[in-house]
Amino acid sequence: MTSNIYLTSANGAPIAEDDNSISAGERGSLTFDNYRLFEKLAHFNRERIPERVVHARGYGAHGTFTLSNDLSDHTIAKFLQGTEKKTDVFLRFSTVAGGQDSGDFVRDVRGFALRFYTEEGNYDIVGNNTPVFFLRDPAKFPDFIHSQKKDPRTNLPNPAHHFEFWANNPQSMHQITVLMSDRGIPKSLRHMNGYGSHALSMWNDKGERVWVKWHFKTNQGIETLTNEDAAKMPADGIHADLVNAIDQGDFPSWTVKIQLMTEAQAKQYPTNPFDLTKVWPHSDFPLIEIGQLELNRNVQNYFAETEQVAFSPSNMVPGVGASPDKMLQGRLFAYADAHRYRIGANHQQLPVNRPQCPVHHYQRDGAMAQGSACPFSGHNQNAGVNFYPNDREEAPKPKPEVAEPPMPLEENAWVRAYDSRDEDNYTQAGALYRLMSDDQKLQLIGNIAGGLKQATESVQKRMVQHFTLCDADYGMRVQAALEV
Ligand code: NDP
């Protein structure tokens, strides 16, 4: 070897020998002073952190968001003001149900989690490649995911469980129609759209709020695979496609669009605009183009970046906010909580999670307090005072100008569990069915029947009823396919 870089142990000291452990004699057993060997083995045992329960299999890349449409009428967020303004981003795609060792070309929703490293902190839009989701209430989320994961006895996938959950939860009908359509298996991550899916919000310097939905339309065009084509693809093909495209300078990009709804419009709109199982029809809320998203740099280290990146819808910046979407509210808690468990209380200090602006707060210590959440602010906030309020002139203090306008509540709201199971589960699923081409309908029905045939007769019957309520032709064709 010609390198003049010397191997060291983790404490930085050069290592004289790393091929052989120390033993008592050539054929003798190892001795207790093998601290080099012990360090290697002990660290190796600790290489894994808990994989995400959902979105475990991920693919990440860095890029740039270029704003083309000044949004200062709607928001004080600096990254959305001016034109040609550029913001660094990190995008993590994923599958949802499978573990890290599952395949790339499965029929599943794809995660589309986007971080904007803005000058005022990190803003995460933690979306999917579908505009809606299976649920409108987070109370159902663990049950839903259990039904999609492997059977607890056999540890094998079990489509009967998928449909048993759905038969009992028709609020999933819209998302089932997307998942079972041709778009359920993207040909590549470059050839699919992303959606923020939730109603989010923006607010301006006059204290006016608008509700917002984000759309990321692929500039590569939508391309999908049939089940048969997907089965022929290599297990890691989607990942390889993304890495290779970026390495070769063929940078994938998306046109970024938003839909806006005023608070007054939301109050009058006939369907609940905060229901994650529904879209806002384009005819009522047209798409407004605001910029371009480009991925142009692969990660240097998969674990440090893609595995440890910790997205959360609770990462917001002044000028953007949440909404009364119940699924979003559940995620505001659950995502940050997952990262505290997986990575630790100081996960935002890791390089991929660090904001690109100074971070000043009174949180201290904890496992792996390696410095501040940002290089500007020093180690564990250096010698800074660790309580608030205090008498120090130089100490961090709140900035009242960035207070979000108060969130409206329904008048005379009564606190209780509201049953939304019958909240129009069918109209938009039917609308999607009707806009499909004959070929798309054929694929949809075939994909549904393939899984549904494995469910019980009772589940099949209820599912056909649900499809019929979406669209009579839809139900009839699923029934006919089950009988073949
Ligand atoms: P529009 O006719 O204005 O929009 C239809 C949308 O459907 C287009 O954006 C199109 O995406 C998308 N689409 C087409 N095929 C599929 C598919 N197999 N899976 C998912 N999306 C597909 O209609 P509306 O806005 O009135 O919505 C009608 C239905 O379209 C909705 O019920 C919903 O299912 C679906 N849809 C609506 C969206 C919205 O935000 N309004 C977003 C995505 C889907 P593309 O432009 O990429 O071809």
Side-chain angles (χ1 to χ4, degrees):
M1 280 198 208
T2 53
S3 169
N4 56 3
I5 296 174
Y6 293 108
L7 177 66
T8 72
S9 57
N11 71 339
I15 299 276
E17 142 83 75
D18 203 41
D19 291 306
N20 304 295
S21 24
I22 298 166
S23 56
E26 195 174 358
R27 298 185 182 185
S29 48
L30 301 183
T31 59
F32 205 69
D33 55 0
N34 263 291
Y35 51 84
R36 168 65 189 151
L37 171 69
F38 297 160
E39 178 179 287
K40 276 178 93 167
L41 294 181
H43 192 275
F44 179 69
N45 281 343
R46 290 163 177 77
E47 279 184 5
R48 296 284 173 273
I49 56 174
E51 73 171 41
R52 293 163 170 86
V53 180
V54 282
H55 297 276
R57 189 173 174 85
Y59 326 84
H62 298 266
T64 313
F65 167 63
T66 308
L67 182 72
S68 59
N69 186 351
D70 174 55
L71 290 175
S72 50
D73 279 355
H74 300 297
T75 178
I76 65 166
K78 290 193 178 143
F79 83 108
L80 295 174
Q81 307 205 2
T83 48
E84 294 306 307
K85 170 122 190 177
K86 290 188 188 296
T87 304
D88 290 345
V89 299
F90 188 84
L91 178 53
R92 183 179 185 274
F93 305 98
S94 51
T95 56
V96 178
Q100 268 173 6
D101 290 336
S102 55
D104 279 352
F105 292 101
V106 287
R107 181 168 301 282
D108 197 355
V109 171
R110 300 299 189 279
F112 194 100
L114 180 64
R115 166 165 300 159
F116 298 89
Y117 294 95
T118 89
E119 64 208 86
E120 300 170 292
N122 292 346
Y123 180 38
D124 293 352
I125 295 181
V126 195
N128 283 324
N129 71 334
T130 62
V132 292
F133 192 64
F134 296 95
L135 305 172
R136 63 171 72 98
D137 192 317
K140 290 179 176 292
F141 189 76
D143 298 289
F144 165 64
I145 292 299
H146 286 169
S147 77
Q148 306 297 300
K149 291 230 168 225
K150 291 178 179 171
D151 183 295
R153 185 180 73 83
T154 61
N155 203 34
L156 295 168
N158 190 337
H161 285 184
H162 306 179
F163 282 97
E164 187 175 338
F165 180 88
W166 291 330
N168 286 300
N169 291 281
Q171 63 187 265
S172 298
M173 294 309 292
H174 194 181
Q175 178 76 316
I176 294 169
T177 306
V178 179
L179 177 68
M180 296 296 168
S181 78
D182 52 324
R183 296 203 184 179
I185 311 181
K187 181 180 162 197
S188 89
L189 301 165
R190 300 179 294 127
H191 294 91
M192 63 182 207
N193 291 340
Y195 301 88
S197 308
H198 296 289
L200 300 168
S201 60
M202 289 180 188
W203 47 273
N204 65 15
D205 53 3
K206 298 189 197 83
E208 297 160 338
R209 176 189 284 104
V210 280
W211 307 117
V212 187
K213 287 217 186 205
W214 289 71
H215 301 249
F216 305 90
K217 295 272 192 179
T218 172
N219 292 333
Q220 291 68 238
I222 300 263
E223 289 191 36
T224 61
L225 294 178
T226 61
N227 290 343
E228 294 68 34
D229 289 339
K232 295 179 206 142
M233 301 297 281
D236 295 311
I238 278 221
H239 201 173
D241 173 86
L242 182 71
V243 173
N244 293 339
I246 296 174
D247 274 351
Q248 288 158 15
D250 180 12
F251 300 143
S253 63
W254 287 260
T255 299
V256 184
K257 301 185 178 190
I258 55 171
Q259 288 175 292
L260 297 178
M261 186 188 291
T262 64
E263 286 179 336
Q265 283 174 314
K267 279 191 188 137
Q268 284 153 15
Y269 203 66
T271 52
N272 176 4
F274 309 114
D275 176 347
L276 186 56
T277 69
K278 297 189 176 73
V279 295
W280 297 353
H282 293 139
S283 49
D284 292 339
F285 303 96
L287 292 170
I288 303 163
E289 185 170 332
I290 64 159
Q292 289 290 320
L293 171 70
E294 179 188 83
L295 295 182
N296 46 33
R297 182 161 60 91
N298 275 316
V299 298
Q300 284 294 311
N301 185 281
Y302 179 84
F303 181 86
E305 295 166 77
T306 309
E307 184 59 7
Q308 293 199 117
V309 67
F311 290 98
S312 173
S314 56
N315 286 336
M316 289 186 256
V317 297
V320 302
S323 82
D325 176 335
K326 290 178 190 182
M327 284 299 295
L328 173 63
Q329 306 252 320
R331 296 174 81 205
L332 291 175
F333 157 73
Y335 274 63
D337 182 60
H339 301 309
R340 288 183 199 110
Y341 163 64
R342 293 182 62 241
I343 314 174
N346 289 311
H347 61 268
Q348 282 164 310
Q349 299 183 4
L350 293 172
V352 72
N353 295 322
R354 276 181 193 159
Q356 292 182 356
C357 61
V359 174
H360 301 297
H361 53 57
Y362 295 92
Q363 288 152 209
R364 293 292 186 278
D365 312 343
M368 312 302 283
Q370 53 171 307
S372 69
C374 155
F376 301 104
S377 320
H379 286 278
N380 199 20
Q381 299 289 321
N382 285 321
V385 56
N386 60 355
F387 57 91
Y388 173 84
N390 56 60
D391 296 337
R392 325 295 165 95
E393 269 300 310
E394 74 291 354
K397 56 178 197 258
K399 191 174 181 185
E401 311 85 279
V402 300
E404 185 174 352
M407 186 73 81
L409 269 185
E410 287 173 41
E411 275 170 37
N412 300 323
W414 289 83
V415 177
R416 68 173 171 85
Y418 285 88
D419 187 344
S420 68
R421 86 183 76 175
D422 295 327
E423 204 169 289
D424 186 0
N425 299 312
Y426 307 111
T427 305
Q428 293 196 352
L432 177 59
Y433 176 77
R434 286 186 291 277
L435 66 79
M436 289 183 189
S437 66
D438 284 346
D439 178 55
Q440 285 176 311
K441 284 181 181 162
L442 211 61
Q443 286 191 49
L444 172 74
I445 305 295
N447 294 333
I448 291 170
L452 188 52
K453 275 183 180 168
Q454 300 174 55
T456 62
E457 220 172 280
S458 154
V459 166
Q460 290 184 15
K461 205 168 143 204
R462 276 176 288 154
M463 286 306 295
V464 169
Q465 282 164 358
H466 294 317
F467 289 120
T468 305
L469 287 166
C470 298
D471 183 283
D473 180 64
Y474 192 2
M476 200 179 66
R477 289 176 70 171
V478 172
Q479 176 65 51
L482 289 174
E483 285 163 11
V484 170

